Amino acid sequence: MSALEGWENFYVIIGSSAGALIGLQFVVMTLIAERPALRVAEAGAAFSTPSVVHFGVVLLLSAIISAPWNGIAIPAALWGLVGLCGIAYAVVVIRHMRAQTIYRPVFEDWLFHVLLPVTAYAMLAGSACAAGRPGRAALFVVGAAALLLLFVGIHNTWDAVTYHVFVQRRGERESGSTDSGSKTA
């Protein structure tokens, strides 16, 4: 019995969810694109792209874990590499969040765009080191990290859409302008 046996359904569910949410975010972006705002690319790099990256990582983890490996060493090395790359990507997100001027991030933004993703990616990197130990604790940590990234992506996408709909549009109606900024979806 492989250490990865029994995880297929879990990763089919979250991988499918991540793939569907990526597609849904593209639909939302297309609808919002009809209403361009100044400096929206800056905000998109800070607030939209990370959500797609997190959904993509969940999809990638699902593929890695669901592949028919003979052991756990190769998938552990891969998910560890994904974790390290995710931590490096968080540094890029921090730079983008600080550089953009269209929206001033609040604590919730820092929590969901930086702290929680770094936690998930650190869990991936750390669990790769523990994967060779007896027991299946490392696999539960990978599953928890994947779920955390999925929920972070859902929260961030919802937050951006509601910001656009309720804050930006209200400001446009009040000012009669169509050039106010948004966090983007």
Side-chain angles (χ1 to χ4, degrees):
M1 178 171 143
S2 167
L4 300 173
E5 195 170 318
W7 286 92
E8 296 87 6
N9 288 339
F10 175 81
Y11 284 103
V12 164
I13 291 168
I14 66 169
S16 299
S17 299
L21 290 167
I22 290 169
L24 186 58
Q25 186 160 1
F26 285 126
V27 169
V28 170
M29 293 297 293
T30 301
L31 294 173
I32 291 174
E34 292 179 11
R35 303 168 30 81
L38 299 175
R39 300 177 314 272
V40 79
E42 292 176 359
F47 298 108
S48 288
T49 304
S51 296
V52 173
V53 169
H54 302 325
F55 290 147
V57 166
V58 172
L59 191 58
L60 177 62
L61 289 171
S62 298
I64 289 170
I65 300 296
S66 298
W69 303 102
N70 290 328
I72 197 167
I74 294 173
L78 291 172
W79 81 58
L81 181 62
V82 168
L84 293 174
C85 290
I87 292 168
Y89 181 65
V91 173
V92 172
V93 171
I94 290 169
R95 292 180 65 209
H96 286 299
M97 286 178 70
R98 287 184 176 164
Q100 62 84 31
T101 57
I102 202 166
Y103 171 79
R104 182 179 169 167
V106 296
F107 174 75
E108 180 184 359
D109 298 311
W110 291 106
L111 176 66
F112 279 92
H113 287 278
V114 178
L115 297 175
L116 291 176
V118 166
T119 299
Y121 291 123
M123 290 167 63
L124 288 173
S127 67
C129 299
R133 296 192 177 121
R136 298 168 32 147
L139 292 171
F140 282 97
V141 173
V142 173
L147 275 175
L148 180 55
L149 289 171
L150 184 65
F151 290 137
V152 162
I154 291 168
H155 171 274
N156 293 347
T157 301
W158 177 256
D159 188 48
V161 168
T162 57
Y163 177 85
H164 179 76
V165 170
F166 295 115
V167 175
Q168 183 202 10
R169 287 211 175 165
R170 181 180 57 211
E172 288 176 0
R173 281 193 301 265
E174 290 170 0
S175 70
S177 167
T178 59
D179 288 336
S180 71
S182 82
K183 252 176 144 173
T184 73

